[in-house]
Amino acid sequence: MKSTNHGRIGVVVDHCGGALSSLLDEDMIQYVAGLPQVVSCHHDEDLLSSGGLEKFNDRWKETRIDRLVIVGASPKVYEASFRRVRETGRLNPYMILVANVREQVLWAICDTEQAKQKAKALVAETVRRAGCLQPIGREKTDVSRHVAVIGDGVVAMKAALGLADAKIPVTLVTDSHPIGEDMTELGHFHQGPADPRGWWGEMVERVKSHPELELKTSTDLRDFEGSFGDFQLTIETPGGTLETIRTSAVILAMGYESAPQREAIFGSDRFVPLSQVATMLETDRPGQVDRKPAAFRTVGFVLDLVNEAFPIDSANAIRHAISLRRDHDCSVYVLCRDVKVSLQGVEAQYRRAREVGVVFIKYDDPPRFSFVNGQINMDVKDVSSRMRGDEYTLSICADRVVLNERFLSSKRSQTLAKALGVPLDREGYAMVDNPQFGPVKASRRGVFVVGGCRYPQPMEEALTEAEAAVLEAKQLVSRKEFGYDLAVAEVDPAKCALCLTCARVCPHSAITIDRYAEKNIYATDGYGREMTWDAARVLPVQCYGRGICVGSCPTKAIDLKHQTDHEISVHLTA
Amino acid sequence: MRDRNVLIVGGGIAGITAALELAGLEISSTIVERDADLGGQARFYACKASGECNRCFACVVDHRIHEVTRRRNIRIMTGSRLKRVGGGPGGFNALVGSEGHEEEVDAAAILVATGIDPFDAQQKPELGYGLFENVITAPDLNEMLRTKGRPCRPSDDAVPSRIGFVQCVGSRDQTIGHPWCSNVCCAYALRFMRAIRHGNPAIQTTFFYLDIQPLGKSFPSLLRSCRQDRGMRLIRSLPSRVDGDTLSGDVSVRFIDGLSGEIVEEAFGLLVLSVGMTPRSDAEQVGDFLHLPRNEDGFYRSPPENSGIFVSGACKGPRDIGGSIIDAKATVGRMAHHLGGS
Amino acid sequence: MTSFVPRIVAFCCDKSAYVAADRAGRLGSSLPASLEIIRVPCAGRVDVIHVLQAIEQGADGVLVFACHEDNCHSLTGNRVVQVRIDRVHRLMEEIGLERERLELRHVASTNGAKFAQIVERKFQELETLGPSPVR
């Protein structure tokens, strides 16, 4: 058991611009200066505005202190200052503790006498704990200037091109071939480019010809390990060859899938999936020379039977409704639970649709369908009609009924996400909805998730996410080296029982299994031979220093460098 | 090599995010913020967690404000306004005024992230804001929850037993020239209701709406849990009129009941107006001397990229905190490209 | 009349509760002087042994603060600590220690008022419950 009786402790009393002066009277200062191991006690009027701790360097050199306690405000307020301390070389920033007497004593405790006693107790405890601090070093890792993008749609292409244009070598990995053949995504825009096919084609051409972009089609992801700056991405190319790409970061940019509604009578070809309306309109273009009378005169859009809480289908339905009404002279009805106008410009389109004569009917109970004289009959209770005291059902006969398609997470995305260490949410979309990571960042450093595989979003939003991911990746790989403090978890391989708990519990995929130390766990077999085998190893670059693994280890083989179990024990012991 | 500096007008979440992202590319920035504190509208938001996080992003804003004040290459000028801008792309020269003195700031590019104003509910006098004490707005409710931890009636500080939320206040409203949908109000009101009901299960809440607008990845589950909660009523009807009872402090709301088609009145202990977003009242000033184009609703449009002026966040059109963050990141990406690589 | 002042040990997650505790005072709330705050990088750092040590060393009540579900800066820290707290509750039941003496609560960094309210409520609860039998 380590003794707490070592170290030469310096104290800096920060008066916080006079705020703490009432608490820091003669009695208090004497008490602090007289605590065990305290060899010096300096004062500062206002540590933050006076330029930080650097000015004490000479005084510390004289008194040869090796650790510091600041009596002042919350440690959160001094954090930036601590980082600069390392640069002056005098003191290791992890050899500094803060007694939070401003926020958590002066401001929080009303009774002055109680506050004084509390402040004393807090400083005494902090000084005691300072005895078990250990310096923590800083490491650098080389960052290879390369990023991998996995995906086959426009979002993946945009991300890959964004990086390539910034002169960052990128490998675009997709299991489809050739790239860009499936243009379903064009239906996921709500406004979209003026010439979607042209825009798409141009992007595919650029992807194929960009000097910084290596395209790998018909390629599957087989393995993924390592740490940011040095990931090993193992892929299987056509022909079965395995290849390992060394990369610094990975962007997962897959899309989502949609499945047509198949219930009951929806199998009839009079039901048109929303994604095929564009094609339907193409084959009946106004002004077409050999245009025959259209097969459809009355079209009904029925939304919100599925995807009730997504705005994109409303936006597309309204757009098509206007086109059908204005250019094809159809009678158009839109049945929905709510008219979703949150996407930019849709409210104005909604107004325009009503102006040209599209009829919107809101329902609470889903409409019922039947066939009448070869048409589809929709029975729906109009919510607004109830407001006139009538309770009657509208019956609308339509030649075509458009149904939106149910959004689904794709199985391929799920497999890829799992391989990359990205957790899935309840619906199988990649990355749980946690605002601390937000869109783009995954919980594994160096891995990013964008687009429809994250959740079914309009293409405009997905493309913005791609731009954001490119920016994040650029920030990471622009520097040749990545510096990080070793304020991480660390395994004592001699104690590790290889239960794999820490590796499984780590949310950042920062723990791997390796044969790495001189003496991992060993045993002798029946013949007296020594055998060594693997132990858990923390990848310091990937570790966020949170200690979830430390709290989970059954043999206490793993500890947190910047807050050891021993330190917590000292804190708890009076 | 000339030191690149970006002038960021507006210290809300979009401006702060942009500054942090630029710093990540080793590009320094200067944030000019009109108010005494950073954080814009969102700095007053309360956490709206119920049994789980409801993704209101209030804490994320909190963390970003903390981060941005700790960076060496981000200069923060609060209580300051942009007075004049001269020069052009690659070499702008701005005059910033703060506390009676003025200072010149050089920048290679400018980012406008001036945000929005919440709609002034007094422009809808029929809803009673400013007339009856217990009619408050969503920003008022945020402040209340943040500082007191529970909803309470301004009249007597008591916890109300029935709270009503009125949607589309200042949005989707042709009569006041605000035809746009403000995007975030349905989500924020549902979150408020969920948080309030979780902390105070005895409180009944009612949501008066036109159409429920979805927002974000977790909206489907948020809506589902609200529909399933017996203590929450979702009524597809916007109130026409609000009256106050001076004795009890109760607020009486007149609306059309969907089932009967009749006009009814119901009393609430507290009524919350879900105000929308409007272009900033001084938007015209900043916009004018930067020659920023505007869309039909009065929000900024992005000028051509080679102008060196970029626009980010809600000042381009209503969006939530998450949307502003992602927009700021994408905009910084374009800015970095404009400024010549990383 | 002996005045029993309950000693509360609070493990505070650095990202949420610790910031909230800093805020409590500024927002006009107060914290009891007998509250001992232990700052941890994540609630998931808190192990069964730490909670037991706190109780062993005479804490009348132990509060463990974590981020809200789906808001943990390490995704699952709040969930793993819940499992451990449940385990300690079972141990407490076995040895006849009141389960109210240990509680897991969730706050965000902006919840200064809520943090103070939770501590105050626990303080009052412990005043009624009395000093820990371990003392």
Side-chain angles (χ1 to χ4, degrees), chain A residues 219-481:
Chain A
T219 299
D220 281 311
L221 175 66
R222 283 287 162 257
D223 201 10
F224 182 68
E225 51 181 27
S227 43
F228 147 67
D230 189 21
F231 283 121
Q232 291 94 51
L233 192 80
T234 306
I235 53 174
E236 186 180 322
T237 48
T241 7
L242 288 178
E243 194 187 309
T244 302
I245 300 174
R246 190 168 164 260
T247 190
S248 284
V250 179
I251 301 178
L252 179 65
M254 299 283 289
Y256 61 91
E257 282 177 354
S258 43
Q261 298 181 51
R262 284 255 169 266
E263 291 87 341
I265 61 173
F266 298 163
S268 155
D269 60 5
R270 288 187 173 275
F271 285 96
V272 181
L274 183 57
S275 62
Q276 286 171 31
V277 175
T279 325
M280 189 175 97
L281 296 175
E282 271 285 299
T283 58
D284 178 58
R285 266 173 296 134
Q288 216 173 321
V289 168
D290 57 344
R291 188 180 183 195
K292 300 191 191 74
F296 45 92
R297 282 270 73 89
T298 306
V299 180
F301 287 80
V302 181
L303 304 173
D304 299 338
L305 294 175
V306 292
N307 301 350
E308 194 205 328
F310 293 101
I312 181 77
D313 290 335
S314 278
N316 283 329
I318 291 174
R319 194 162 43 90
H320 292 314
I322 294 174
S323 177
L324 278 165
R325 182 91 195 101
R326 225 177 25 198
D327 307 333
H328 302 256
D329 204 30
C330 296
S331 292
V332 185
Y333 298 85
V334 176
L335 281 61
C336 59
R337 221 182 263 281
D338 294 295
V339 183
K340 300 181 194 57
V341 296
S342 55
L343 297 177
Q344 196 144 44
V346 180
E347 174 73 58
Q349 290 235 301
Y350 175 44
R351 241 178 298 133
R352 230 165 289 144
R354 283 172 296 164
E355 280 163 15
V356 301
V358 174
V359 177
F360 285 84
I361 297 166
K362 293 189 206 175
Y363 64 79
D364 273 339
D365 303 318
R368 280 170 300 130
F369 301 92
S370 52
F371 282 113
V372 173
N373 294 333
Q375 286 186 307
I376 300 173
N377 179 70
M378 303 181 283
D379 286 326
V380 61
K381 284 195 199 132
D382 180 358
V383 160
S384 59
S385 75
R386 280 211 295 252
M387 295 182 183
R388 288 201 301 277
D390 301 328
E391 171 86 277
Y392 76 105
T393 306
L394 285 175
S395 284
I396 302 162
C397 282
D399 301 302
R400 294 286 183 276
V401 169
V402 180
L403 295 173
N404 54 344
E405 291 133 293
R406 189 190 306 270
F407 296 147
L408 298 163
S409 62
S410 94
K411 289 274 181 283
R412 278 154 65 217
S413 298
Q414 289 175 19
T415 317
L416 285 165
K418 284 193 200 130
L420 294 172
V422 175
L424 302 176
D425 71 9
R426 269 158 250 156
E427 274 82 48
Y429 292 104
M431 195 59 197
V432 291
D433 195 10
N434 182 321
Q436 306 306 339
F437 296 91
V440 176
K441 273 203 183 84
S443 48
R444 185 177 192 167
R445 187 170 278 140
V447 176
F448 304 97
V449 181
V450 300
C453 59
R454 206 179 66 74
Y455 95 103
Q457 53 192 295
M459 191 54 70
E460 288 88 343
E461 284 178 29
L463 291 170
T464 309
E465 287 189 358
E467 284 184 276
V470 166
L471 172 74
E472 301 248 15
K474 245 164 75 167
Q475 288 168 340
L476 288 179
V477 307
S478 291
R479 326 162 219 202
K480 293 206 186 61
E481 287 178 329

Side-chain angles (χ1 to χ4, degrees), chain A residues 95-159:
Chain A
M95 300 297 278
I96 306 175
L97 283 181
V98 177
N100 187 343
V101 299
R102 188 181 70 171
E103 274 83 339
Q104 290 180 8
V105 180
L106 182 69
W107 286 355
I109 296 172
C110 318
D111 183 293
T112 349
E113 198 40 54
Q114 279 190 356
K116 281 221 176 90
Q117 291 312 312
K118 174 71 183 182
K120 278 189 181 169
L122 187 56
V123 178
E125 181 282 312
T126 311
V127 163
R128 205 178 63 237
R129 202 161 27 106
C132 43
L133 295 173
Q134 297 287 325
I136 288 178
R138 193 166 169 82
E139 284 268 318
K140 282 201 256 252
T141 184
D142 287 330
V143 178
S144 75
R145 197 177 164 83
H146 182 277
V147 177
V149 177
I150 304 177
D152 52 10
V154 116
V155 179
M157 289 197 276
K158 175 132 189 160

Side-chain angles (χ1 to χ4, degrees), chain B residues 42-65:
Chain B
R43 73 186 186 275
F44 299 122
Y45 288 2
C47 165
K48 295 173 192 72
S50 49
E52 56 172 321
C53 170
N54 279 314
R55 292 96 185 167
C56 72
F57 277 77
C59 57
V60 174
V61 174
D62 195 39
H63 292 309
R64 292 294 106 77
I65 294 173

Side-chain angles (χ1 to χ4, degrees), chain B residues 152-201:
Chain B
C152 49
R153 287 147 52 97
S155 62
D156 54 8
D157 214 39
V159 176
S161 57
R162 301 182 76 227
I163 305 179
F165 284 82
V166 181
Q167 300 307 108
C168 296
V169 177
S171 315
R172 304 190 76 190
D173 193 338
Q174 296 270 43
T175 64
I176 49 168
H178 287 203
W180 63 86
C181 168
S182 288
N183 225 299
V184 306
C185 326
C186 287
Y188 80 50
L190 290 173
R191 285 188 198 119
F192 267 132
M193 295 203 306
R194 200 164 183 217
I196 288 171
R197 292 256 321 134
H198 182 260
N200 315 265

